[in-house]
Structures are given as C-alpha cells and as structure tokens.
Amino acid sequence: MGHMSVSHLYRQFAASPEKVDITGAQMVLVMKLTAFCWNVQDGRLPDKDLADIQRERAIRHIPSLLDYAGYVFFFPALFAGPAFDYVDYRSWIETSMFTLPPGTDPSQAPRTRKKRKIPRSGTPATMKAIAGLAWILMFLKFSSWYNTDLVLGDQYMEYSFLRRVWILEMLGFSTRLKYYGVWSLTEGACILSGLGYKGIDPKTGRVQWNRLQNVNPWGIESAQNSRAYLENWNINTNAWLRNYMYLRVTPKGKKPGFRASLATFVTSAFWHGFYPGYYLSFVLAAFVQTAAKNVRRYVRPFFLTPDGQRPTPAKRYYDIATYLATQSVFCFTTAPFVLLTFSGSLLVWARVYFYAVLMIAASMAIFASPVKGWLVRELDQRNRPALSKRRSQETLGSPLLGLPNDPGRDVDEAVREVREEVEARRRRGGSATMPKGEELKERVEAKLGREL
C-alpha cells in the first residue's frame, strides 16, 4: 500500500500522460497480496473461529514459489484486474473447480475438448471480447464529444441548465465506457483460460462464466437507487473491501459499526489515490447513500401493497422518478472523479448550481423534521403488521466501495462509545464525566477521524 501510494503521488504531481502509469497494476496487486495474507492467517486458525467465507478461502498449506508467482502475476488480470483469491487460482490449476457437484445430472456436464477438464470457453470469451471492443469504440467516439475540456470551457455556459446537466451525465457515461471496455476484455481473457467458470446454473442448466465479472453495465445504467448503482461497479473491489477490511476490523461476536465503516472508507480512499476530486466524490456519495436509504425506507412502501410483496399501479412513477434522481445525482457526484482537481470540480459544480448538493440537503432536512414522524405513523397505519416484520429484517449491509451507508448512524455510534467509555471509567473508580458541548464534539470527531 505504501509503495502504491508513492506511485499515486508521483503520477499526480508529475502529471505526465506520456509516461507509463503502473498504479493500475499496483492496485490489483494490493488486493491480491492483502487477500493472500489474510487467507494464510485464516489457515492457521481453527475452523470454529472463522466465518463460512473465511473457511472456504483459508490457505492451510503455503504454496510453492511457482504457484505463488503464477497467482500474483496471472497475466490476463495483471494490469487491470479482476482480482481474485488464491483458492480460486488453485482450484483452477488443479481443475477441481470443474468437478460437477454431487447430485448433478452428468448429461448437464459442459462440453470439453478431448481429455481436457476445462470446458469449452471460446464462445463466451469471444462475446466478451466483442463487447469490450464495442465499448472502447464507443468511448473513443463519445469522449470526443463529451470531455473535461467541454465542461471547463466557456462554451459550456452557453447552454441551458438542463443541457449542462445532460452534458455532465454524458461525461460520466463516456468515462464509464472506458472501464466497461477494459474490464470486459480482461474478463474475456479469464474466461478463455477457464478461470471465469462458475459452475452450472441449477435453474437453466447452462454453464456460468461470471466468476470474475467486475462490472454490470446494464445494472449501472438502469439503477434506480444508489446501492444498485454502486454494487454493479467494480464488483471485485467491493468484495475485497467487505471481506478483508470491513469484516476484519470487527471484533468477534459484534456487528460491524462505525469503526469498520471508517477503516473501510479510509482504505478505499487511499487505495484510489490522492486527487482532491476523489475525496469530494467519496464524501458527497456517503450523504447520497443516506438520502437514498431514507427515501427507500420511508417513501417506497407507499408504492407497494401493505404486505410489501407487489407494486401498486403508481409504482411505475416512483421508479421513473428514482431512476432520474439516481442518474442525475450520480453524474454530479462522480464528476470530480473525472475532473480530479479541486478547483475544476467546484467550478463545474457551480456551473450547474450545486443542484445535487441542494437535493441531498433538502432530503436530509425533510427527514430530520417532523415529516419523518408523520411518514412513520402513516406507514404504521397502512402496513401494520407487515411493516414491523420487514423493519426487523432490514439491514444496511457492508459499505460499497468503502462509502459509509449511514453517516448519521456512525455519529450516533461514536457518541454511544464515548458514553460507554465514560461509564467504564466510572466503574473502575475513576472520576470521568460525560463530556458536553464542544468537548463532546471533539471526542466524537476523534472517534470518527473527521470533522463534523
């Protein structure tokens, strides 16, 4: 991580596009090497101390240097990913991943060539390659129309507000096309080698080749909420942050809290680099998550039947509204990720009147007002008793790309930890008192690692 951070800083301050950039390959290596270390550590622990996924991926015996080098420098995924765990690589070279699970009809076994155990993968790999090349050709065309020079230039302000928002949306889309193309090509290469094999779909009986899928373009472009948007982007990075950071900093027997969210957020931010634009996007996206969660929790149920199982006729209008809101807010939020600089990001945000910031602020103000209580009462009357059951089953899940799901909850947990610390000192005979005012604020900021 330290070597990669130095490379990130060099790339940022050198600002020399003609020089070879190795940070992409280093980011993949960081994911692989940290995962490998955790898997080795898990292999030294008894099974009873491990979660299911940790037992599955534990490395009980240190591999040979050749196997280790083959895993780390696996060429199809070396420069742009996808990253994967050593157990996947080992099951591939041993061909154990291609063994049919017990109870599977032998007639459903995928076709192989002669005595090979690896199923034929030429067709799905070719389809991925064609899709990847199509995405790249689209990127070359769209990026000539929608680029950073356009939104930073004087011509941008000659357009109407809605046209400027549309251009901002297309800037994000044209940037995503590059990643769609590269990740489709690398996934296709992994499929061709056989490593993308994911078994047979029990419902359709067809072979699945999406073990190393890193992006779902349709899931992103059709997303109606922030979670759907983020969970379809950089899928393997989401899994790495969840399995090797978010769940690792949580003490055994406890649920992940603000410490896990903060550690995951910091790791994700440092992993991406140090451009100011990254951090503008990360911070704003955290509040987008909170606003989207509130809408989904307190507004969406009005467009479902009381049991929450079926949509009402008005649900289509909710879907259209949330789709437009999600796409327009995220094109604003991710603009700094493309622009990179602090001044450029603020300039472009100002040129569209900070509309997403105002939308999020208005949403949070509404849900911090008596309106939230009124919505809760209306839902209780409308959906009782089904609502209480759904609420008890509701979970925020792990952060996506390291973004906190609920910053407000993190602050509440920080206050609770300060209070518990004070109580613990009192029980030990100390004279600690619960801080108030500025002192409480300073304690909470110290816990969160950021200013409020």
Side-chain angles (χ1 to χ4, degrees), residues 123-335:
T123 298
T126 301
M127 296 300 293
K128 280 293 178 181
I130 293 173
L133 292 174
W135 289 125
I136 290 176
L137 290 175
M138 289 177 64
F139 163 72
L140 294 174
K141 191 64 177 176
F142 276 78
S143 62
S144 66
W145 297 333
Y146 306 100
N147 48 59
T148 56
D149 291 337
L150 174 60
V151 296
L152 293 172
D154 295 333
Q155 182 184 357
Y156 186 57
M157 292 305 294
E158 297 176 4
Y159 300 117
S160 66
F161 169 72
L162 291 179
R163 179 76 179 274
R164 294 200 297 273
V165 173
W166 169 253
I167 291 173
L168 204 59
E169 167 65 32
M170 296 308 296
L171 172 66
F173 176 69
S174 62
T175 303
R176 291 193 296 274
L177 290 172
K178 172 176 59 177
Y179 294 96
Y180 293 165
V182 171
W183 284 336
S184 293
L185 289 174
T186 57
E187 184 188 352
C190 292
I191 291 174
L192 189 61
S193 72
L195 190 57
Y197 179 78
K198 199 182 177 181
I200 299 174
D201 189 331
K203 294 182 179 179
T204 64
R206 301 179 63 180
V207 177
Q208 300 179 97
W209 292 99
N210 61 341
R211 176 186 294 272
L212 299 181
Q213 183 180 11
N214 205 35
V215 67
N216 178 7
W218 175 250
I220 293 170
E221 304 304 332
S222 63
Q224 298 175 11
N225 58 74
S226 61
R227 188 163 190 87
Y229 193 103
L230 293 172
E231 70 183 3
N232 286 295
W233 175 263
N234 217 346
I235 298 170
N236 292 289
T237 300
N238 279 326
W240 171 66
L241 288 170
R242 179 183 65 249
N243 295 331
Y244 300 110
M245 181 52 61
Y246 184 70
L247 298 178
R248 298 289 174 165
V249 298
T250 304
K252 185 180 178 182
K254 292 187 177 182
K255 292 183 178 180
F258 87 92
R259 291 178 186 273
S261 297
L262 179 62
T264 308
F265 174 80
V266 172
T267 301
S268 179
F270 273 73
W271 181 78
H272 278 91
F274 301 98
Y275 280 103
Y278 294 163
Y279 295 86
L280 287 174
S281 291
F282 273 125
V283 171
L284 183 57
F287 290 97
V288 171
Q289 288 269 76
T290 299
K293 177 210 66 176
N294 286 331
V295 171
R296 187 171 182 83
R297 181 179 295 174
Y298 300 113
V299 177
R300 184 174 181 268
F302 287 106
F303 297 89
L304 302 173
T305 54
D307 60 2
Q309 301 299 314
R310 297 181 303 279
T312 63
K315 177 66 162 49
R316 70 187 69 177
Y317 304 110
Y318 171 86
D319 291 341
I320 293 172
T322 52
Y323 169 77
L324 294 175
T326 299
Q327 298 297 329
S328 61
V329 167
F330 265 100
C331 78
F332 179 95
T333 303
T334 57

Side-chain angles (χ1 to χ4, degrees), residues 33-63:
L33 295 175
T34 52
F36 183 87
C37 291
W38 277 115
N39 295 152
V40 170
Q41 172 63 17
D42 291 341
R44 298 176 176 178
L45 299 175
D47 285 348
K48 63 182 179 62
D49 293 339
L50 301 175
D52 291 341
I53 190 170
Q54 293 170 349
R55 280 193 293 272
E56 293 171 3
R57 304 197 170 277
I59 298 175
R60 305 294 181 184
H61 304 286
I62 300 297

